[in-house]
Amino acid sequence: MPELPEVETTRRGLIPRLSGKAIRSVLVRDRRLRWPVPTDLESRLSGATIQSLHRRGKYLLVSVNKARLDEHVLIHLGMTGTLRVLEEPAPAGKHDHIEVRLKDGQLLRYADPRRFGCWLWAGRDWASHPLLASLGPEPFDAAFNAAYLHSATRGRSASIKSVIMNAGIVTGVGNIYANEALFRAGIHPLTRAGRLSVERLGELVEQIRAVLAEAIEAGGSSIRDYVQSDGASGWFQLRYAVYGRAGEACRTCGADIRVTRDAQRATFFCSRCQKR
Ligand SMILES: [Zn+2]
């Protein structure tokens, strides 16, 4: 599933190819995404110019304008969505649901086998869109810091892992990176959030940023392949310390990495390196 680093990598890969480009036409083959693709997507986007791409959490926002249109398209990749730019036309596969043809001949193609993604209008003021309005700060925002996380967790008996995966508290920390950041910070994922000191939460903030930045960096080095590819390429991966390593040895202490479930999500940890 694309997480924040994959979405940010997608954004960075698309910006130089799409910014300032005029849209010739749009083709929607299947409107049945998580929510129906608006029926006026084609007519309103045709002839518009793409201004820029923003990211909020795992949402992409494409600014488009033309006469009397100053809008944002809100895109979420869901579980299996990908956006690729093709320089040469290639036959569409059965999961290629949306195509945006640019006047320069390039084609932006959206594929999504499981169709949990979305393409929606977000208006001129995208931040107030219902899907975005209640999101917490971005992990890289100054507003996401030790004091903030400390006050947001007081009195909470929920696990620290479920708290940092709560998009209302901090947006875009998915399961993989929550597991990895908690390992790096030496915090057991099932620790009650309200019991953690401001110092330990500060370390967690730093490690969330570090692991996301490394993943974005890892993706950045493969942007070219990723954006060009028309095949079903997997997402890049960091060398995970705990995620997906149940039963394998912790690289720090040699103990077995364990797995449990927390809030229905697979939760990996080293019981020696990570303290409650
Ligand atoms: Zn260990």
Side-chain angles (χ1 to χ4, degrees), residues 3 28 38 72-73 79 104 108-109 160 190 206 218 234 267 271:
E3 293 208 21
V28 181
H72 291 86
V73 182
M79 306 279 288
D104 70 1
L108 174 67
R109 183 173 272 174
I160 185 61
L190 303 184
E206 292 311 307
T267 299
S271 57

Side-chain angles (χ1 to χ4, degrees), residues 123-153:
R124 182 199 289 236
D125 173 25
W126 55 264
S128 61
H129 189 278
L131 290 171
L132 308 180
S134 62
L135 294 179
E138 291 283 321
F140 296 106
D141 279 357
F144 179 60
N145 57 43
Y148 164 78
L149 193 54
H150 191 253
S151 76
T153 50

Side-chain angles (χ1 to χ4, degrees), residues 183 250 252-253 270 272-273:
F183 174 80
C250 171
T252 303
C253 75
C270 171
R272 208 179 285 171
C273 293

Side-chain angles (χ1 to χ4, degrees), residues 66-275:
K66 67 177 180 183
R68 291 183 296 154
L69 177 73
D70 180 7
E71 259 283 10
H72 291 86
V73 182
L74 181 156
I75 300 173
H76 195 286
L77 302 176
M79 306 279 288
T80 53
T82 53
L83 282 165
R84 292 196 168 86
V85 175
L86 307 181
E87 288 176 349
E88 306 283 336
K94 70 171 186 174
H95 301 302
D96 293 335
H97 305 311
I98 301 177
E99 287 184 355
V100 178
R101 236 168 240 290
L102 304 179
K103 286 188 176 161
D104 70 1
Q106 294 189 101
L107 185 69
L108 174 67
R109 183 173 272 174
Y110 179 74
D112 189 354
R114 294 186 67 180
R115 293 191 277 110
F116 282 119
C118 69
W119 283 53
L120 297 169
W121 293 115
R124 182 199 289 236
D125 173 25
W126 55 264
S128 61
H129 189 278
L131 290 171
L132 308 180
S134 62
L135 294 179
E138 291 283 321
F140 296 106
D141 279 357
F144 179 60
N145 57 43
Y148 164 78
L149 193 54
H150 191 253
S151 76
T153 50
R154 289 315 88 183
R156 281 199 184 235
S157 58
S159 72
I160 185 61
K161 178 164 176 270
S162 67
V163 164
I164 60 174
M165 289 181 65
N166 178 341
I169 291 179
V170 55
T171 183
V173 182
N175 194 40
I176 294 173
Y177 300 105
N179 276 295
E180 293 294 301
L182 285 161
F183 174 80
R184 291 178 181 213
I187 297 171
H188 193 292
L190 303 184
T191 309
R192 289 181 174 202
R195 297 186 49 170
L196 286 163
S197 67
V198 71
E199 289 78 15
R200 294 185 81 196
L201 292 168
E203 179 63 16
L204 181 56
V205 167
E206 292 311 307
Q207 296 303 336
I208 287 170
R209 289 196 179 121
V211 73
L212 290 173
E214 283 174 33
I216 291 168
E217 188 67 25
S221 59
S222 64
I223 273 179
R224 204 166 179 80
D225 288 346
Y226 164 66
V227 174
Q228 292 275 12
S229 168
D230 192 33
S233 75
W235 297 104
F236 53 89
Q237 290 195 342
L238 288 183
R239 186 168 179 258
Y240 300 132
V242 288
Y243 184 81
R245 297 194 65 236
E248 296 178 37
C250 171
R251 296 195 191 98
T252 303
C253 75
D256 284 356
I257 302 295
R258 297 190 186 177
V259 63
T260 183
R261 289 191 88 74
D262 179 46
Q264 277 90 54
R265 305 304 300 271
T267 299
F268 300 88
F269 60 98
C270 171
S271 57
R272 208 179 285 171
C273 293
Q274 292 173 259
K275 309 287 187 218

